Amino acid sequence: MLARGGPGARRTDFGDTASMRTPDFLQLHHEDAAAVRAELAAGLLATPARVAPKFLYDALGSRLFDAITELPEYYPTRTERGIFEAYRAEIAGFLGTGRTLVDLGAGSCEKAAGWLAALQPARYVAVDISVVYLRHALECLQRAHPALPILGLGLDFAAGLALPEAVGPEPRLMFYPGSSIGNFTPDEALAFLRSVQRESHGGGLLIGVDFVKDKATLDLAYDDPLGVTAAFNRNLLRRLNLLLGCEARVEDFDHVAFYDTARQRIEMHLQARRALTLAWPGGERRLAAGERIHTENSYKYTEAGFAALLREAGFRDVRCFSDPQRWFGVFAAR
Ligand SMILES: C[S@@+](CC[C@H](N)C(=O)[O-])C[C@H]1O[C@@H](n2cnc3c(N)ncnc32)[C@H](O)[C@@H]1O
């Protein structure tokens, strides 16, 4: 299944158009349709009903997420970018150059692209469940960096990270930006970070984490007036129809998102506008008017809390870089 790089491909420097490669790609996440249906049905039949956030990302979901990052209300992306720009050389000096750069949940690969010059990775490995979108992103990245060895991995890491041998034995710099770690509960995050530490082969971690802040700012970031986040959430109904064989109507559900101050997390839900039944081959779930399907959590951390989590996961040397408002943290860990 490994698609090889182009003939005569060789590493020179990243701007060398004479040695154009094609990205290698390994599709390790073979969607077992029956297992996916069983997972979705179990979630819908639970109380409260739920669907895992990984199902938000198909080709359209990935595009809608990219649109969210452009919104003025969605501060995490631009704040993280500002921290990267302010501390790039310092962070690269701390983490070291020449590693294999492993991008977890790579999406458009844009953030990693911004690090190539500073980190000079020997190889770029992009991991994502949204494979159609990832393949396209990697083709664009390869055009911009013709000599960079690239490996794409179609992989679901929700239950822990296990990278294939094809990634190679060298130390890996694990890159997990965008505060995606917040989609795990704190206990799951610890288990995931342990698997990331193990998979790094001593190479280190660069991770973006959203911090606890005032509720109004957080609520607006996940419920923008233009309705882009609502479209991202409601796209899940189309996924349910496709993967489970439901006939859910997008117009029957509202997007609901709010910060739960006690739990320090954003919750995202799809709320039924009227009493309705979601039916699929072999099952159904009745929803009362106002009843919700829980689709995502995004946990927020304090700087001290997340640094402690990293140490507990096995990273000994941890540094945090932040913005003047201390809204977001970029942690470099070895
Ligand atoms: C919030 S987006 C972040 C994208 C990009 N890294 C950024 O920071 O802008 C999360 C990314 O992780 C991917 N993803 C979500 N769940 C995943 C899973 N269980 N396994 C692999 N990738 C996953 C999504 O497809 C999406 O590209």
mmCIF file of all heavy atoms in Angstrom, residues 240-264:
data_model
loop_
_atom_site.group_PDB
_atom_site.id
_atom_site.type_symbol
_atom_site.label_atom_id
_atom_site.label_comp_id
_atom_site.label_asym_id
_atom_site.label_seq_id
_atom_site.Cartn_x
_atom_site.Cartn_y
_atom_site.Cartn_z
ATOM 1 N N LEU A 240 -23.701 10.973 9.481
ATOM 2 C CA LEU A 240 -24.544 9.912 10.050
ATOM 3 C C LEU A 240 -25.388 9.262 8.957
ATOM 4 O O LEU A 240 -25.544 8.041 8.927
ATOM 5 C CB LEU A 240 -25.488 10.488 11.111
ATOM 6 C CG LEU A 240 -24.917 10.741 12.500
ATOM 7 C CD1 LEU A 240 -25.994 11.331 13.406
ATOM 8 C CD2 LEU A 240 -24.376 9.451 13.097
ATOM 9 N N ASN A 241 -25.907 10.082 8.071
ATOM 10 C CA ASN A 241 -26.725 9.542 6.985
ATOM 11 C C ASN A 241 -25.902 8.616 6.101
ATOM 12 O O ASN A 241 -26.345 7.527 5.731
ATOM 13 C CB ASN A 241 -27.321 10.681 6.145
ATOM 14 C CG ASN A 241 -28.355 11.464 6.937
ATOM 15 O OD1 ASN A 241 -28.797 11.032 7.987
ATOM 16 N ND2 ASN A 241 -28.719 12.646 6.433
ATOM 17 N N LEU A 242 -24.684 9.042 5.806
ATOM 18 C CA LEU A 242 -23.826 8.271 4.907
ATOM 19 C C LEU A 242 -23.318 6.993 5.574
ATOM 20 O O LEU A 242 -23.357 5.906 4.986
ATOM 21 C CB LEU A 242 -22.635 9.154 4.503
ATOM 22 C CG LEU A 242 -21.716 8.592 3.443
ATOM 23 C CD1 LEU A 242 -22.384 8.712 2.070
ATOM 24 C CD2 LEU A 242 -20.385 9.354 3.436
ATOM 25 N N LEU A 243 -22.831 7.113 6.803
ATOM 26 C CA LEU A 243 -22.133 5.990 7.442
ATOM 27 C C LEU A 243 -23.091 5.015 8.123
ATOM 28 O O LEU A 243 -22.827 3.823 8.182
ATOM 29 C CB LEU A 243 -21.118 6.510 8.479
ATOM 30 C CG LEU A 243 -19.981 7.372 7.917
ATOM 31 C CD1 LEU A 243 -19.174 8.009 9.049
ATOM 32 C CD2 LEU A 243 -19.056 6.521 7.052
ATOM 33 N N LEU A 244 -24.197 5.537 8.656
ATOM 34 C CA LEU A 244 -25.108 4.680 9.416
ATOM 35 C C LEU A 244 -26.398 4.390 8.647
ATOM 36 O O LEU A 244 -27.137 3.476 8.995
ATOM 37 C CB LEU A 244 -25.414 5.362 10.768
ATOM 38 C CG LEU A 244 -26.191 4.584 11.812
ATOM 39 C CD1 LEU A 244 -25.495 3.262 12.135
ATOM 40 C CD2 LEU A 244 -26.364 5.395 13.089
ATOM 41 N N GLY A 245 -26.659 5.169 7.604
ATOM 42 C CA GLY A 245 -27.898 4.970 6.843
ATOM 43 C C GLY A 245 -29.096 5.614 7.510
ATOM 44 O O GLY A 245 -30.227 5.134 7.383
ATOM 45 N N CYS A 246 -28.856 6.713 8.262
ATOM 46 C CA CYS A 246 -29.974 7.481 8.843
ATOM 47 C C CYS A 246 -30.575 8.375 7.770
ATOM 48 O O CYS A 246 -29.990 8.538 6.694
ATOM 49 C CB CYS A 246 -29.480 8.438 9.919
ATOM 50 S SG CYS A 246 -28.931 7.687 11.407
ATOM 51 N N GLU A 247 -31.708 8.969 8.089
ATOM 52 C CA GLU A 247 -32.219 10.010 7.197
ATOM 53 C C GLU A 247 -32.420 11.280 8.011
ATOM 54 O O GLU A 247 -33.484 11.894 8.004
ATOM 55 C CB GLU A 247 -33.501 9.543 6.512
ATOM 56 C CG GLU A 247 -33.194 8.468 5.491
ATOM 57 C CD GLU A 247 -34.407 7.985 4.718
ATOM 58 O OE1 GLU A 247 -35.508 8.524 4.936
ATOM 59 O OE2 GLU A 247 -34.229 7.058 3.921
ATOM 60 N N ALA A 248 -31.371 11.660 8.733
ATOM 61 C CA ALA A 248 -31.438 12.871 9.559
ATOM 62 C C ALA A 248 -31.531 14.087 8.649
ATOM 63 O O ALA A 248 -30.901 14.127 7.589
ATOM 64 C CB ALA A 248 -30.201 12.965 10.437
ATOM 65 N N ARG A 249 -32.353 15.069 9.067
ATOM 66 C CA ARG A 249 -32.477 16.310 8.283
ATOM 67 C C ARG A 249 -31.695 17.401 9.008
ATOM 68 O O ARG A 249 -31.959 17.686 10.179
ATOM 69 C CB ARG A 249 -33.944 16.706 8.150
ATOM 70 C CG ARG A 249 -34.704 15.752 7.225
ATOM 71 C CD ARG A 249 -36.219 15.936 7.307
ATOM 72 N NE ARG A 249 -36.670 17.138 7.972
ATOM 73 C CZ ARG A 249 -37.496 18.041 7.430
ATOM 74 N NH1 ARG A 249 -37.940 17.885 6.202
ATOM 75 N NH2 ARG A 249 -37.891 19.079 8.128
ATOM 76 N N VAL A 250 -30.761 18.004 8.281
ATOM 77 C CA VAL A 250 -29.913 19.044 8.867
ATOM 78 C C VAL A 250 -30.782 20.133 9.500
ATOM 79 O O VAL A 250 -30.484 20.647 10.591
ATOM 80 C CB VAL A 250 -28.975 19.630 7.785
ATOM 81 C CG1 VAL A 250 -28.252 20.864 8.287
ATOM 82 C CG2 VAL A 250 -27.964 18.571 7.328
ATOM 83 N N GLU A 251 -31.896 20.459 8.825
ATOM 84 C CA GLU A 251 -32.734 21.572 9.298
ATOM 85 C C GLU A 251 -33.510 21.232 10.581
ATOM 86 O O GLU A 251 -34.166 22.101 11.149
ATOM 87 C CB GLU A 251 -33.684 22.049 8.187
ATOM 88 C CG GLU A 251 -34.592 20.988 7.604
ATOM 89 C CD GLU A 251 -33.960 20.225 6.429
ATOM 90 O OE1 GLU A 251 -32.740 20.000 6.445
ATOM 91 O OE2 GLU A 251 -34.711 19.848 5.513
ATOM 92 N N ASP A 252 -33.442 19.976 11.037
ATOM 93 C CA ASP A 252 -34.118 19.606 12.284
ATOM 94 C C ASP A 252 -33.246 19.829 13.518
ATOM 95 O O ASP A 252 -33.679 19.536 14.636
ATOM 96 C CB ASP A 252 -34.529 18.122 12.240
ATOM 97 C CG ASP A 252 -35.791 17.912 11.404
ATOM 98 O OD1 ASP A 252 -36.526 18.890 11.195
ATOM 99 O OD2 ASP A 252 -36.020 16.770 10.963
ATOM 100 N N PHE A 253 -32.011 20.299 13.322
ATOM 101 C CA PHE A 253 -31.085 20.405 14.462
ATOM 102 C C PHE A 253 -30.442 21.789 14.546
ATOM 103 O O PHE A 253 -30.062 22.369 13.535
ATOM 104 C CB PHE A 253 -29.975 19.353 14.338
ATOM 105 C CG PHE A 253 -30.465 17.944 14.572
ATOM 106 C CD1 PHE A 253 -31.028 17.209 13.530
ATOM 107 C CD2 PHE A 253 -30.386 17.371 15.835
ATOM 108 C CE1 PHE A 253 -31.494 15.918 13.745
ATOM 109 C CE2 PHE A 253 -30.856 16.080 16.054
ATOM 110 C CZ PHE A 253 -31.408 15.352 15.004
ATOM 111 N N ASP A 254 -30.311 22.253 15.780
ATOM 112 C CA ASP A 254 -29.569 23.487 16.053
ATOM 113 C C ASP A 254 -28.172 23.149 16.564
ATOM 114 O O ASP A 254 -27.984 22.134 17.265
ATOM 115 C CB ASP A 254 -30.279 24.308 17.146
ATOM 116 C CG ASP A 254 -31.500 25.021 16.614
ATOM 117 O OD1 ASP A 254 -31.432 25.560 15.495
ATOM 118 O OD2 ASP A 254 -32.537 25.014 17.322
ATOM 119 N N HIS A 255 -27.226 24.001 16.241
ATOM 120 C CA HIS A 255 -25.882 23.926 16.825
ATOM 121 C C HIS A 255 -25.919 24.593 18.191
ATOM 122 O O HIS A 255 -26.395 25.727 18.312
ATOM 123 C CB HIS A 255 -24.921 24.677 15.888
ATOM 124 C CG HIS A 255 -23.602 25.029 16.502
ATOM 125 N ND1 HIS A 255 -22.646 24.099 16.793
ATOM 126 C CD2 HIS A 255 -23.071 26.236 16.873
ATOM 127 C CE1 HIS A 255 -21.575 24.707 17.304
ATOM 128 N NE2 HIS A 255 -21.812 26.003 17.360
ATOM 129 N N VAL A 256 -25.459 23.888 19.211
ATOM 130 C CA VAL A 256 -25.395 24.465 20.560
ATOM 131 C C VAL A 256 -23.968 24.290 21.072
ATOM 132 O O VAL A 256 -23.432 23.174 21.047
ATOM 133 C CB VAL A 256 -26.390 23.748 21.517
ATOM 134 C CG1 VAL A 256 -26.207 24.235 22.946
ATOM 135 C CG2 VAL A 256 -27.817 23.966 21.058
ATOM 136 N N ALA A 257 -23.334 25.375 21.490
ATOM 137 C CA ALA A 257 -21.974 25.290 22.020
ATOM 138 C C ALA A 257 -21.834 26.280 23.171
ATOM 139 O O ALA A 257 -22.314 27.413 23.076
ATOM 140 C CB ALA A 257 -20.944 25.608 20.934
ATOM 141 N N PHE A 258 -21.237 25.841 24.267
ATOM 142 C CA PHE A 258 -21.092 26.719 25.431
ATOM 143 C C PHE A 258 -19.929 26.248 26.290
ATOM 144 O O PHE A 258 -19.537 25.070 26.252
ATOM 145 C CB PHE A 258 -22.374 26.723 26.280
ATOM 146 C CG PHE A 258 -22.803 25.344 26.689
ATOM 147 C CD1 PHE A 258 -22.299 24.756 27.837
ATOM 148 C CD2 PHE A 258 -23.693 24.616 25.899
ATOM 149 C CE1 PHE A 258 -22.674 23.472 28.203
ATOM 150 C CE2 PHE A 258 -24.074 23.325 26.248
ATOM 151 C CZ PHE A 258 -23.562 22.754 27.413
ATOM 152 N N TYR A 259 -19.378 27.180 27.053
ATOM 153 C CA TYR A 259 -18.297 26.848 27.987
ATOM 154 C C TYR A 259 -18.904 26.452 29.326
ATOM 155 O O TYR A 259 -19.703 27.201 29.897
ATOM 156 C CB TYR A 259 -17.362 28.049 28.166
ATOM 157 C CG TYR A 259 -16.167 27.744 29.040
ATOM 158 C CD1 TYR A 259 -15.289 26.714 28.715
ATOM 159 C CD2 TYR A 259 -15.918 28.480 30.191
ATOM 160 C CE1 TYR A 259 -14.190 26.426 29.516
ATOM 161 C CE2 TYR A 259 -14.808 28.208 30.996
ATOM 162 C CZ TYR A 259 -13.959 27.173 30.642
ATOM 163 O OH TYR A 259 -12.864 26.883 31.442
ATOM 164 N N ASP A 260 -18.551 25.281 29.808
ATOM 165 C CA ASP A 260 -18.949 24.819 31.135
ATOM 166 C C ASP A 260 -17.790 25.169 32.075
ATOM 167 O O ASP A 260 -16.742 24.516 32.069
ATOM 168 C CB ASP A 260 -19.203 23.304 31.093
ATOM 169 C CG ASP A 260 -19.656 22.751 32.438
ATOM 170 O OD1 ASP A 260 -19.232 23.296 33.489
ATOM 171 O OD2 ASP A 260 -20.417 21.771 32.446
ATOM 172 N N THR A 261 -18.002 26.222 32.870
ATOM 173 C CA THR A 261 -16.920 26.762 33.689
ATOM 174 C C THR A 261 -16.434 25.728 34.713
ATOM 175 O O THR A 261 -15.230 25.609 34.962
ATOM 176 C CB THR A 261 -17.401 28.038 34.413
ATOM 177 O OG1 THR A 261 -17.962 28.908 33.417
ATOM 178 C CG2 THR A 261 -16.276 28.776 35.094
ATOM 179 N N ALA A 262 -17.368 24.972 35.309
ATOM 180 C CA ALA A 262 -16.972 24.003 36.337
ATOM 181 C C ALA A 262 -16.098 22.903 35.740
ATOM 182 O O ALA A 262 -15.108 22.485 36.335
ATOM 183 C CB ALA A 262 -18.219 23.407 36.976
ATOM 184 N N ARG A 263 -16.454 22.454 34.552
ATOM 185 C CA ARG A 263 -15.685 21.353 33.934
ATOM 186 C C ARG A 263 -14.518 21.848 33.084
ATOM 187 O O ARG A 263 -13.781 21.052 32.531
ATOM 188 C CB ARG A 263 -16.611 20.512 33.055
ATOM 189 C CG ARG A 263 -17.600 19.693 33.862
ATOM 190 C CD ARG A 263 -18.518 18.982 32.901
ATOM 191 N NE ARG A 263 -19.103 17.802 33.478
ATOM 192 C CZ ARG A 263 -20.297 17.334 33.154
ATOM 193 N NH1 ARG A 263 -21.018 17.957 32.239
ATOM 194 N NH2 ARG A 263 -20.773 16.247 33.713
ATOM 195 N N GLN A 264 -14.423 23.161 32.938
ATOM 196 C CA GLN A 264 -13.358 23.786 32.138
ATOM 197 C C GLN A 264 -13.330 23.215 30.729
ATOM 198 O O GLN A 264 -12.273 22.828 30.205
ATOM 199 C CB GLN A 264 -11.996 23.636 32.824
ATOM 200 C CG GLN A 264 -11.951 24.359 34.160
ATOM 201 C CD GLN A 264 -10.554 24.452 34.750
ATOM 202 O OE1 GLN A 264 -9.625 23.788 34.319
ATOM 203 N NE2 GLN A 264 -10.410 25.287 35.747
#
